[in-house]
Amino acid sequence: MKKILVIILFFIIGFNLNAQSNYTIENKFEEILNHSNVKGSILILDYQNNQYYSNNFNWANTGFIPASTFKIPNSIIGLELNILKDENTIFKWNGEKRAMSIWEKDLTLKEAFSLSCVPCYQELALKIGYDRMLKSLKKLNYNHMVFDKKTINNFWLTGDSKISQMEQIDFLKRLYFSKLPIKKKTHDILKNIMIREQNNEYILSGKTGWGIIKNKNIGWYVGYLEKDKNVYFFALNINSTNHTNMDNFAQIRIEAIKESFKILDILQK
């Protein structure tokens, strides 16, 4: 009997050890950010090997305004409530001048997501409304969003809403592996509109974000890379400094993630 208990205990302990994630400090990620004169963290999860890599795990567990990365749950909620029918649903332009000229036309959901059309998603949030947004975010377990009826159309851009890189990856994992309580159609549409690059080597899916809090620029890039029957989830969060070239701030986010994958020999150098 004692021998049987020992064997059972061995398997339980062994299972728990295998279930634990591994965390590796990757100093070369820090060099990437320093080269671009920004501060922050790059976080990558090698899902198959349950291995996290980052230059700063403390930063990766710190919450920041989600900015346009919130377009992922916002799109999900719009689809689940049938406000959006599919990726071809049109956001009509009202003819008014917008912050970016590329937004000054009718856009499909797929285009609005790709071009990160802020007015389009503000319109969507207003249609969702406070009560349904609150209920939907709770259902998705997308926490720490702070808003009321007055801020329903901008709480992801300004205010006290927060999400960490770790939480971003947790949400992306649940989306990727169909663990969210949403329809298959919604899941398939999101995976489609999130694709940024697709070739014979890999598929790169993601969403950028850019917010300004207390005169500080906050940049996001979150998503996942599919390659060789594995998936690598990533979340980058950076802050500008006095030496950041703001003309390149948007591109810094994307290039930093690609460079990180090259450092880990996931992408070709």
Side-chain angles (χ1 to χ4, degrees):
M1 182 67 180
K2 191 178 291 186
K3 184 177 181 181
I4 293 173
L5 288 173
V6 170
I7 293 172
I8 292 173
L9 185 61
F10 173 81
F11 278 108
I12 291 173
I13 294 172
F15 176 79
N16 287 335
L17 286 174
N18 290 332
Q20 290 178 353
S21 299
N22 300 306
Y23 299 88
T24 298
I25 294 290
E26 182 49 75
N27 292 320
K28 289 185 178 180
F29 289 0
E30 186 76 17
E31 294 175 14
I32 293 172
L33 301 183
N34 288 340
H35 180 74
S36 296
N37 292 313
V38 293
K39 297 294 183 182
S41 167
I42 298 168
L43 178 67
I44 292 177
L45 168 61
D46 176 344
Y47 182 78
Q48 197 172 77
N49 295 302
N50 207 14
Q51 177 74 54
Y52 283 93
Y53 299 91
S54 180
N55 58 301
N56 190 330
F57 283 103
N58 287 332
W59 191 297
N61 280 291
T62 302
F64 294 91
I65 199 84
S68 283
T69 66
F70 187 75
K71 287 183 172 68
I72 300 174
N74 207 359
S75 298
I76 290 173
I77 295 167
L79 288 162
E80 286 293 286
L81 295 175
N82 293 316
I83 297 171
L84 305 171
K85 301 303 179 184
D86 54 35
E87 61 265 40
N88 297 312
T89 297
I90 298 292
F91 289 95
K92 296 286 291 183
W93 176 43
N94 60 10
E96 295 180 0
K97 186 171 180 58
R98 290 176 168 176
M100 298 183 69
S101 60
I102 55 174
W103 299 342
E104 294 177 350
K105 60 180 179 179
D106 292 351
L107 296 170
T108 65
L109 169 60
K110 188 169 185 175
E111 291 169 335
F113 186 91
S114 177
L115 296 174
S116 208
C117 177
V118 172
C120 297
Y121 277 85
Q122 290 181 310
E123 174 190 325
L124 175 59
L126 287 170
K127 288 181 179 179
I128 292 169
Y130 172 79
D131 292 331
R132 293 197 294 182
M133 182 70 82
L134 192 66
K135 183 178 178 180
S136 297
L137 289 175
K138 185 176 181 180
K139 179 181 176 182
L140 295 173
N141 196 25
Y142 195 97
N143 303 314
H144 315 308
M145 297 298 104
V146 181
F147 60 97
D148 54 28
K149 292 180 180 179
K150 292 182 179 179
T151 59
I152 184 65
N153 69 335
N154 67 359
F155 65 88
W156 61 92
L157 298 170
T158 186
D160 296 323
S161 295
K162 290 180 172 58
I163 189 169
S164 72
Q165 292 166 266
M166 283 290 187
E167 289 169 329
Q168 292 271 25
I169 285 183
D170 174 70
F171 187 74
L172 289 167
K173 282 196 298 180
R174 289 187 287 127
L175 171 64
Y176 184 83
F177 291 110
S178 304
K179 300 297 183 182
L180 292 174
I182 60 177
K183 294 174 289 193
K184 183 180 185 302
K185 179 183 176 182
T186 299
H187 171 267
D188 292 344
I189 291 171
L190 257 292
K191 290 197 73 174
N192 177 37
I193 67 174
M194 285 181 65
I195 294 174
R196 302 272 69 85
E197 296 180 26
Q198 187 169 6
N199 53 46
N200 293 330
E201 184 185 357
Y202 61 84
I203 302 174
L204 177 65
S205 301
K207 184 71 196 76
T208 55
W210 186 342
I212 301 175
I213 299 293
K214 297 179 181 178
N215 296 319
K216 183 182 294 183
N217 289 272
I218 299 169
W220 283 103
Y221 190 25
V222 305
Y224 50 86
L225 179 86
E226 299 169 275
K227 183 185 178 187
D228 298 334
K229 298 181 180 180
N230 194 2
V231 57
Y232 303 89
F233 296 92
F234 63 85
L236 168 145
N237 180 276
I238 55 173
N239 288 357
S240 63
T241 69
N242 293 334
H243 302 289
T244 305
N245 182 347
M246 294 310 299
D247 290 337
N248 296 333
F249 192 70
Q251 196 61 28
I252 285 170
R253 302 167 298 176
I254 298 167
E255 291 176 354
I257 284 295
K258 287 189 173 181
E259 285 301 311
S260 300
F261 280 128
K262 290 176 183 178
I263 285 171
L264 298 178
D265 293 322
I266 295 167
L267 291 183
Q268 295 180 3
K269 297 180 180 178

